[in-house]
mmCIF file with all atom_site columns, all heavy atoms in Angstrom:
data_model
loop_
_atom_site.group_PDB
_atom_site.id
_atom_site.type_symbol
_atom_site.label_atom_id
_atom_site.label_alt_id
_atom_site.label_comp_id
_atom_site.label_asym_id
_atom_site.label_entity_id
_atom_site.label_seq_id
_atom_site.pdbx_PDB_ins_code
_atom_site.Cartn_x
_atom_site.Cartn_y
_atom_site.Cartn_z
_atom_site.occupancy
_atom_site.B_iso_or_equiv
_atom_site.pdbx_formal_charge
_atom_site.auth_seq_id
_atom_site.auth_comp_id
_atom_site.auth_asym_id
_atom_site.auth_atom_id
_atom_site.pdbx_PDB_model_num
ATOM 1   N N   . LEU X 1 66 ? -27.929 0.907  -15.061 1.00 0.00 ? 93  LEU X N   1
ATOM 2   C CA  . LEU X 1 66 ? -26.810 0.621  -16.006 1.00 0.00 ? 93  LEU X CA  1
ATOM 3   C C   . LEU X 1 66 ? -27.510 0.308  -17.431 1.00 0.00 ? 93  LEU X C   1
ATOM 4   O O   . LEU X 1 66 ? -27.053 0.834  -18.440 1.00 0.00 ? 93  LEU X O   1
ATOM 5   C CB  . LEU X 1 66 ? -25.954 -0.502 -15.596 1.00 0.00 ? 93  LEU X CB  1
ATOM 6   C CG  . LEU X 1 66 ? -24.850 -0.937 -16.521 1.00 0.00 ? 93  LEU X CG  1
ATOM 7   C CD1 . LEU X 1 66 ? -23.827 0.266  -16.732 1.00 0.00 ? 93  LEU X CD1 1
ATOM 8   C CD2 . LEU X 1 66 ? -24.119 -2.111 -16.001 1.00 0.00 ? 93  LEU X CD2 1
ATOM 9   N N   . VAL X 1 67 ? -28.516 -0.458 -17.405 1.00 0.00 ? 94  VAL X N   1
ATOM 10  C CA  . VAL X 1 67 ? -29.300 -0.936 -18.629 1.00 0.00 ? 94  VAL X CA  1
ATOM 11  C C   . VAL X 1 67 ? -29.898 0.385  -19.249 1.00 0.00 ? 94  VAL X C   1
ATOM 12  O O   . VAL X 1 67 ? -29.915 0.533  -20.440 1.00 0.00 ? 94  VAL X O   1
ATOM 13  C CB  . VAL X 1 67 ? -30.239 -1.973 -18.367 1.00 0.00 ? 94  VAL X CB  1
ATOM 14  C CG1 . VAL X 1 67 ? -31.153 -2.267 -19.531 1.00 0.00 ? 94  VAL X CG1 1
ATOM 15  C CG2 . VAL X 1 67 ? -29.556 -3.240 -17.852 1.00 0.00 ? 94  VAL X CG2 1
ATOM 16  N N   . GLN X 1 68 ? -30.467 1.186  -18.390 1.00 0.00 ? 95  GLN X N   1
ATOM 17  C CA  . GLN X 1 68 ? -31.181 2.376  -18.932 1.00 0.00 ? 95  GLN X CA  1
ATOM 18  C C   . GLN X 1 68 ? -30.158 3.334  -19.586 1.00 0.00 ? 95  GLN X C   1
ATOM 19  O O   . GLN X 1 68 ? -30.450 3.922  -20.696 1.00 0.00 ? 95  GLN X O   1
ATOM 20  C CB  . GLN X 1 68 ? -31.847 3.116  -17.727 1.00 0.00 ? 95  GLN X CB  1
ATOM 21  C CG  . GLN X 1 68 ? -32.947 2.303  -17.115 1.00 0.00 ? 95  GLN X CG  1
ATOM 22  C CD  . GLN X 1 68 ? -33.383 2.888  -15.789 1.00 0.00 ? 95  GLN X CD  1
ATOM 23  O OE1 . GLN X 1 68 ? -33.164 3.976  -15.424 1.00 0.00 ? 95  GLN X OE1 1
ATOM 24  N NE2 . GLN X 1 68 ? -34.129 2.067  -14.954 1.00 0.00 ? 95  GLN X NE2 1
ATOM 25  N N   . ILE X 1 69 ? -28.974 3.475  -19.017 1.00 0.00 ? 96  ILE X N   1
ATOM 26  C CA  . ILE X 1 69 ? -27.967 4.329  -19.620 1.00 0.00 ? 96  ILE X CA  1
ATOM 27  C C   . ILE X 1 69 ? -27.539 3.757  -20.932 1.00 0.00 ? 96  ILE X C   1
ATOM 28  O O   . ILE X 1 69 ? -27.384 4.513  -21.938 1.00 0.00 ? 96  ILE X O   1
ATOM 29  C CB  . ILE X 1 69 ? -26.752 4.472  -18.681 1.00 0.00 ? 96  ILE X CB  1
ATOM 30  C CG1 . ILE X 1 69 ? -27.088 5.273  -17.448 1.00 0.00 ? 96  ILE X CG1 1
ATOM 31  C CG2 . ILE X 1 69 ? -25.655 5.155  -19.428 1.00 0.00 ? 96  ILE X CG2 1
ATOM 32  C CD1 . ILE X 1 69 ? -25.965 5.290  -16.388 1.00 0.00 ? 96  ILE X CD1 1
ATOM 33  N N   . PHE X 1 70 ? -27.309 2.435  -20.982 1.00 0.00 ? 97  PHE X N   1
ATOM 34  C CA  . PHE X 1 70 ? -27.010 1.848  -22.264 1.00 0.00 ? 97  PHE X CA  1
ATOM 35  C C   . PHE X 1 70 ? -28.009 1.950  -23.339 1.00 0.00 ? 97  PHE X C   1
ATOM 36  O O   . PHE X 1 70 ? -27.750 2.246  -24.569 1.00 0.00 ? 97  PHE X O   1
ATOM 37  C CB  . PHE X 1 70 ? -26.708 0.323  -22.035 1.00 0.00 ? 97  PHE X CB  1
ATOM 38  C CG  . PHE X 1 70 ? -25.232 0.011  -21.661 1.00 0.00 ? 97  PHE X CG  1
ATOM 39  C CD1 . PHE X 1 70 ? -24.990 -0.767 -20.597 1.00 0.00 ? 97  PHE X CD1 1
ATOM 40  C CD2 . PHE X 1 70 ? -24.186 0.499  -22.363 1.00 0.00 ? 97  PHE X CD2 1
ATOM 41  C CE1 . PHE X 1 70 ? -23.721 -1.039 -20.224 1.00 0.00 ? 97  PHE X CE1 1
ATOM 42  C CE2 . PHE X 1 70 ? -22.936 0.229  -22.015 1.00 0.00 ? 97  PHE X CE2 1
ATOM 43  C CZ  . PHE X 1 70 ? -22.599 -0.612 -20.948 1.00 0.00 ? 97  PHE X CZ  1
ATOM 44  N N   . LEU X 1 71 ? -29.331 1.855  -22.952 1.00 0.00 ? 98  LEU X N   1
ATOM 45  C CA  . LEU X 1 71 ? -30.409 1.928  -23.906 1.00 0.00 ? 98  LEU X CA  1
ATOM 46  C C   . LEU X 1 71 ? -30.499 3.377  -24.457 1.00 0.00 ? 98  LEU X C   1
ATOM 47  O O   . LEU X 1 71 ? -30.767 3.566  -25.663 1.00 0.00 ? 98  LEU X O   1
ATOM 48  C CB  . LEU X 1 71 ? -31.707 1.504  -23.269 1.00 0.00 ? 98  LEU X CB  1
ATOM 49  C CG  . LEU X 1 71 ? -31.900 0.008  -23.031 1.00 0.00 ? 98  LEU X CG  1
ATOM 50  C CD1 . LEU X 1 71 ? -33.143 -0.267 -22.243 1.00 0.00 ? 98  LEU X CD1 1
ATOM 51  C CD2 . LEU X 1 71 ? -31.845 -0.739 -24.333 1.00 0.00 ? 98  LEU X CD2 1
ATOM 52  N N   . ILE X 1 72 ? -30.236 4.349  -23.629 1.00 0.00 ? 99  ILE X N   1
ATOM 53  C CA  . ILE X 1 72 ? -30.433 5.712  -24.041 1.00 0.00 ? 99  ILE X CA  1
ATOM 54  C C   . ILE X 1 72 ? -29.210 6.199  -24.856 1.00 0.00 ? 99  ILE X C   1
ATOM 55  O O   . ILE X 1 72 ? -29.439 6.747  -25.938 1.00 0.00 ? 99  ILE X O   1
ATOM 56  C CB  . ILE X 1 72 ? -30.612 6.646  -22.844 1.00 0.00 ? 99  ILE X CB  1
ATOM 57  C CG1 . ILE X 1 72 ? -31.926 6.401  -22.123 1.00 0.00 ? 99  ILE X CG1 1
ATOM 58  C CG2 . ILE X 1 72 ? -30.492 8.114  -23.259 1.00 0.00 ? 99  ILE X CG2 1
ATOM 59  C CD1 . ILE X 1 72 ? -32.145 7.210  -20.872 1.00 0.00 ? 99  ILE X CD1 1
ATOM 60  N N   . TYR X 1 73 ? -28.011 5.793  -24.454 1.00 0.00 ? 100 TYR X N   1
ATOM 61  C CA  . TYR X 1 73 ? -26.836 6.309  -25.183 1.00 0.00 ? 100 TYR X CA  1
ATOM 62  C C   . TYR X 1 73 ? -26.604 5.445  -26.426 1.00 0.00 ? 100 TYR X C   1
ATOM 63  O O   . TYR X 1 73 ? -26.340 6.016  -27.494 1.00 0.00 ? 100 TYR X O   1
ATOM 64  C CB  . TYR X 1 73 ? -25.604 6.292  -24.286 1.00 0.00 ? 100 TYR X CB  1
ATOM 65  C CG  . TYR X 1 73 ? -24.421 6.830  -24.921 1.00 0.00 ? 100 TYR X CG  1
ATOM 66  C CD1 . TYR X 1 73 ? -24.327 8.203  -25.256 1.00 0.00 ? 100 TYR X CD1 1
ATOM 67  C CD2 . TYR X 1 73 ? -23.317 5.999  -25.123 1.00 0.00 ? 100 TYR X CD2 1
ATOM 68  C CE1 . TYR X 1 73 ? -23.187 8.679  -25.919 1.00 0.00 ? 100 TYR X CE1 1
ATOM 69  C CE2 . TYR X 1 73 ? -22.162 6.522  -25.783 1.00 0.00 ? 100 TYR X CE2 1
ATOM 70  C CZ  . TYR X 1 73 ? -22.120 7.827  -26.106 1.00 0.00 ? 100 TYR X CZ  1
ATOM 71  O OH  . TYR X 1 73 ? -21.002 8.407  -26.744 1.00 0.00 ? 100 TYR X OH  1
ATOM 72  N N   . TYR X 1 74 ? -26.562 4.122  -26.328 1.00 0.00 ? 101 TYR X N   1
ATOM 73  C CA  . TYR X 1 74 ? -26.226 3.255  -27.391 1.00 0.00 ? 101 TYR X CA  1
ATOM 74  C C   . TYR X 1 74 ? -27.469 2.823  -28.214 1.00 0.00 ? 101 TYR X C   1
ATOM 75  O O   . TYR X 1 74 ? -27.447 2.768  -29.407 1.00 0.00 ? 101 TYR X O   1
ATOM 76  C CB  . TYR X 1 74 ? -25.528 1.983  -26.898 1.00 0.00 ? 101 TYR X CB  1
ATOM 77  C CG  . TYR X 1 74 ? -24.141 2.337  -26.387 1.00 0.00 ? 101 TYR X CG  1
ATOM 78  C CD1 . TYR X 1 74 ? -23.934 2.145  -25.011 1.00 0.00 ? 101 TYR X CD1 1
ATOM 79  C CD2 . TYR X 1 74 ? -23.079 2.698  -27.181 1.00 0.00 ? 101 TYR X CD2 1
ATOM 80  C CE1 . TYR X 1 74 ? -22.650 2.411  -24.465 1.00 0.00 ? 101 TYR X CE1 1
ATOM 81  C CE2 . TYR X 1 74 ? -21.865 2.932  -26.618 1.00 0.00 ? 101 TYR X CE2 1
ATOM 82  C CZ  . TYR X 1 74 ? -21.662 2.814  -25.246 1.00 0.00 ? 101 TYR X CZ  1
ATOM 83  O OH  . TYR X 1 74 ? -20.404 3.093  -24.714 1.00 0.00 ? 101 TYR X OH  1
ATOM 84  N N   . GLY X 1 75 ? -28.526 2.575  -27.490 1.00 0.00 ? 102 GLY X N   1
ATOM 85  C CA  . GLY X 1 75 ? -29.730 2.047  -28.200 1.00 0.00 ? 102 GLY X CA  1
ATOM 86  C C   . GLY X 1 75 ? -30.452 3.082  -29.084 1.00 0.00 ? 102 GLY X C   1
ATOM 87  O O   . GLY X 1 75 ? -30.790 2.733  -30.198 1.00 0.00 ? 102 GLY X O   1
ATOM 88  N N   . LEU X 1 76 ? -30.596 4.328  -28.592 1.00 0.00 ? 103 LEU X N   1
ATOM 89  C CA  . LEU X 1 76 ? -31.227 5.343  -29.437 1.00 0.00 ? 103 LEU X CA  1
ATOM 90  C C   . LEU X 1 76 ? -30.369 5.692  -30.630 1.00 0.00 ? 103 LEU X C   1
ATOM 91  O O   . LEU X 1 76 ? -30.918 6.310  -31.599 1.00 0.00 ? 103 LEU X O   1
ATOM 92  C CB  . LEU X 1 76 ? -31.518 6.549  -28.572 1.00 0.00 ? 103 LEU X CB  1
ATOM 93  C CG  . LEU X 1 76 ? -32.606 6.344  -27.519 1.00 0.00 ? 103 LEU X CG  1
ATOM 94  C CD1 . LEU X 1 76 ? -32.764 7.636  -26.709 1.00 0.00 ? 103 LEU X CD1 1
ATOM 95  C CD2 . LEU X 1 76 ? -33.910 5.855  -28.189 1.00 0.00 ? 103 LEU X CD2 1
ATOM 96  N N   . GLY X 1 77 ? -29.036 5.360  -30.581 1.00 0.00 ? 104 GLY X N   1
ATOM 97  C CA  . GLY X 1 77 ? -28.202 5.663  -31.757 1.00 0.00 ? 104 GLY X CA  1
ATOM 98  C C   . GLY X 1 77 ? -28.569 4.913  -32.963 1.00 0.00 ? 104 GLY X C   1
ATOM 99  O O   . GLY X 1 77 ? -28.253 5.316  -34.065 1.00 0.00 ? 104 GLY X O   1
ATOM 100 N N   . GLN X 1 78 ? -29.312 3.787  -32.765 1.00 0.00 ? 105 GLN X N   1
ATOM 101 C CA  . GLN X 1 78 ? -29.754 3.011  -33.921 1.00 0.00 ? 105 GLN X CA  1
ATOM 102 C C   . GLN X 1 78 ? -30.855 3.798  -34.710 1.00 0.00 ? 105 GLN X C   1
ATOM 103 O O   . GLN X 1 78 ? -31.226 3.414  -35.900 1.00 0.00 ? 105 GLN X O   1
ATOM 104 C CB  . GLN X 1 78 ? -30.258 1.664  -33.434 1.00 0.00 ? 105 GLN X CB  1
ATOM 105 C CG  . GLN X 1 78 ? -29.223 0.863  -32.749 1.00 0.00 ? 105 GLN X CG  1
ATOM 106 C CD  . GLN X 1 78 ? -29.784 -0.494 -32.273 1.00 0.00 ? 105 GLN X CD  1
ATOM 107 O OE1 . GLN X 1 78 ? -30.860 -0.909 -32.718 1.00 0.00 ? 105 GLN X OE1 1
ATOM 108 N NE2 . GLN X 1 78 ? -29.000 -1.173 -31.500 1.00 0.00 ? 105 GLN X NE2 1
ATOM 109 N N   . PHE X 1 79 ? -31.458 4.779  -34.043 1.00 0.00 ? 106 PHE X N   1
ATOM 110 C CA  . PHE X 1 79 ? -32.530 5.512  -34.704 1.00 0.00 ? 106 PHE X CA  1
ATOM 111 C C   . PHE X 1 79 ? -32.068 6.955  -35.070 1.00 0.00 ? 106 PHE X C   1
ATOM 112 O O   . PHE X 1 79 ? -32.785 7.896  -35.061 1.00 0.00 ? 106 PHE X O   1
ATOM 113 C CB  . PHE X 1 79 ? -33.747 5.643  -33.747 1.00 0.00 ? 106 PHE X CB  1
ATOM 114 C CG  . PHE X 1 79 ? -34.312 4.300  -33.290 1.00 0.00 ? 106 PHE X CG  1
ATOM 115 C CD1 . PHE X 1 79 ? -33.904 3.854  -32.052 1.00 0.00 ? 106 PHE X CD1 1
ATOM 116 C CD2 . PHE X 1 79 ? -35.142 3.548  -34.031 1.00 0.00 ? 106 PHE X CD2 1
ATOM 117 C CE1 . PHE X 1 79 ? -34.330 2.570  -31.614 1.00 0.00 ? 106 PHE X CE1 1
ATOM 118 C CE2 . PHE X 1 79 ? -35.609 2.343  -33.619 1.00 0.00 ? 106 PHE X CE2 1
ATOM 119 C CZ  . PHE X 1 79 ? -35.176 1.880  -32.407 1.00 0.00 ? 106 PHE X CZ  1
#
Side-chain angles (χ1 to χ4, degrees):
L93 181 62
V94 173
Q95 296 165 18
I96 294 175
F97 273 129
L98 287 176
I99 291 175
Y100 184 65
Y101 294 109
L103 293 180
Q105 299 180 12
F106 305 98

